[in-house]
């Protein structure tokens, strides 16, 4: 599987075409997401991420198309960044949101994606980080609460900045704030935003 997660409701995994759920004790199939071709409803790139919470499975992914460039394995493409919720009991897609559609401001490795970061969830919020599109905060019904542009978060080989592999640091929630560590080529930082408003609380540069 490309991604999997486990709760007391079952074992959830993405097999490249759809999300499936297996019973936790015996492993028998319980459901698979609809439709069979997941790409029709939830476009996905190489490494989608599943995050179970309560009675839903949150899914971050996207679809890249076009323009492989260079022997170094970089991929610059028109892309779609999506975020969805699937019922943990039935596999039914509850909602889908498109965070961004367009050409990204950074490159990625062919085995990477522009949606590497894992979403973070609390009882009211879902926070998603896309490296060149920004930090997004949704509620559990998929309504966008706020968004912050973090600039270009380019990362890769230290000795050659043209080798961009893709940003992968994930946000965390603590004390009513969203905290992001960004170790990038230039301007690395650690910063926090108010979870309710999206206002930046503080930012500290990293050497």
């Amino acid at each position: 599987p490309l991604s999997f997660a486990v709760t007391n409701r079952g074992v959830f995994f993405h097999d490249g075409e759809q999300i499936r759920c297996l019973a936790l004790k015996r492993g028998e199939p319980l459901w698979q997401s609809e439709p069979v071709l997941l790409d029709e409803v939830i476009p996905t790139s190489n490494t989608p991420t599943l995050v179970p919470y309560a009675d839903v499975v949150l899914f971050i992914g996207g679809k890249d198309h076009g323009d492989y460039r260079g022997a170094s394995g970089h991929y610059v493409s028109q892309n779609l960044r999506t975020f969805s919720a699937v019922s943990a009991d039935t596999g039914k897609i509850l909602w889908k949101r498109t965070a961004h559609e367009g050409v990204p401001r950074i490159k990625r490795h062919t085995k990477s994606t522009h949606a590497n970061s894992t979403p973070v969830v609390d009882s009211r919020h879902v926070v998603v980080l896309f490296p060149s599109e920004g930090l997004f905060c949704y509620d559990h019904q998929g309504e966008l609460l706020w968004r912050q542009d973090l600039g270009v978060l380019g990362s890769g080989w230290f000795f050659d900045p043209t080798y961009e592999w893709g940003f992968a640091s994930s946000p965390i929630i603590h004390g009513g704030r969203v905290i992001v560590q960004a170790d990038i080529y230039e301007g690395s930082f650690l910063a926090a935003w108010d979870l309710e408003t999206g206002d930046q609380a503080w930012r500290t540069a990293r050497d």
Side-chain angles (χ1 to χ4, degrees), residues 149-161:
D149 187 344
L150 306 191
V152 178
L153 304 182
S155 59
W157 193 25
F158 179 80
F159 297 103
D160 188 347

Side-chain angles (χ1 to χ4, degrees), residues 106-178:
I106 61 173
K107 295 182 285 187
R108 68 168 176 85
H109 193 273
T110 52
K111 294 183 179 180
S112 183
T113 167
H114 290 297
N116 290 322
S117 301
T118 301
V120 61
V121 188
D122 72 359
S123 60
R124 295 177 53 200
H125 308 86
V126 182
V127 180
V128 187
L129 175 59
F130 296 110
S132 70
E133 286 77 49
L135 188 66
F136 296 76
C137 181
Y138 297 88
D139 65 19
H140 282 220
Q141 288 70 49
E143 297 303 316
L144 181 65
L145 301 177
W146 52 263
R147 173 186 178 183
Q148 290 290 345
D149 187 344
L150 306 191
V152 178
L153 304 182
S155 59
W157 193 25
F158 179 80
F159 297 103
D160 188 347
T162 65
Y163 277 61
E164 296 182 49
W165 296 334
F167 185 84
S169 180
S170 299
I172 63 171
I173 291 175
H174 180 73
R177 292 177 175 175
V178 181

Side-chain angles (χ1 to χ4, degrees), residues 4-196:
F4 78 96
V6 180
T7 72
N8 58 3
R9 292 174 181 264
V11 179
F12 308 95
F13 67 96
H14 188 286
D15 64 2
E17 292 185 347
Q18 59 213 130
I19 299 172
R20 298 177 182 268
C21 179
L22 305 180
L24 187 59
K25 290 185 178 181
R26 299 183 180 274
E28 64 267 22
L30 298 179
W31 53 257
Q32 62 187 35
S33 61
E34 301 175 355
V36 174
L37 293 177
L38 186 64
D39 190 59
E40 294 178 5
V41 172
I42 307 179
T44 180
S45 50
N46 294 336
T47 53
T49 300
L50 301 179
V51 178
Y53 186 85
D55 58 352
V56 300
V57 179
L58 302 167
F59 178 95
I60 181 174
K63 185 66 175 179
D64 294 331
H65 46 90
D67 293 352
Y68 170 83
R69 295 182 184 176
S72 60
H74 295 153
Y75 199 21
V76 181
S77 58
Q78 181 79 6
N79 75 86
L80 185 69
R81 300 277 71 83
T82 62
F83 185 60
S84 310
V86 176
S87 169
D89 294 320
T90 66
K92 179 182 178 181
I93 297 168
L94 303 175
W95 49 260
K96 182 185 74 170
R97 300 292 181 263
T98 298
H100 175 80
E101 184 173 7
V103 177
R105 292 184 287 178
I106 61 173
K107 295 182 285 187
R108 68 168 176 85
H109 193 273
T110 52
K111 294 183 179 180
S112 183
T113 167
H114 290 297
N116 290 322
S117 301
T118 301
V120 61
V121 188
D122 72 359
S123 60
R124 295 177 53 200
H125 308 86
V126 182
V127 180
V128 187
L129 175 59
F130 296 110
S132 70
E133 286 77 49
L135 188 66
F136 296 76
C137 181
Y138 297 88
D139 65 19
H140 282 220
Q141 288 70 49
E143 297 303 316
L144 181 65
L145 301 177
W146 52 263
R147 173 186 178 183
Q148 290 290 345
D149 187 344
L150 306 191
V152 178
L153 304 182
S155 59
W157 193 25
F158 179 80
F159 297 103
D160 188 347
T162 65
Y163 277 61
E164 296 182 49
W165 296 334
F167 185 84
S169 180
S170 299
I172 63 171
I173 291 175
H174 180 73
R177 292 177 175 175
V178 181
I179 302 172
V180 173
Q181 172 189 318
D183 286 337
I184 50 182
Y185 289 125
E186 296 181 357
S188 295
F189 64 88
L190 187 67
W193 290 262
D194 184 276
L195 186 56
E196 297 295 333

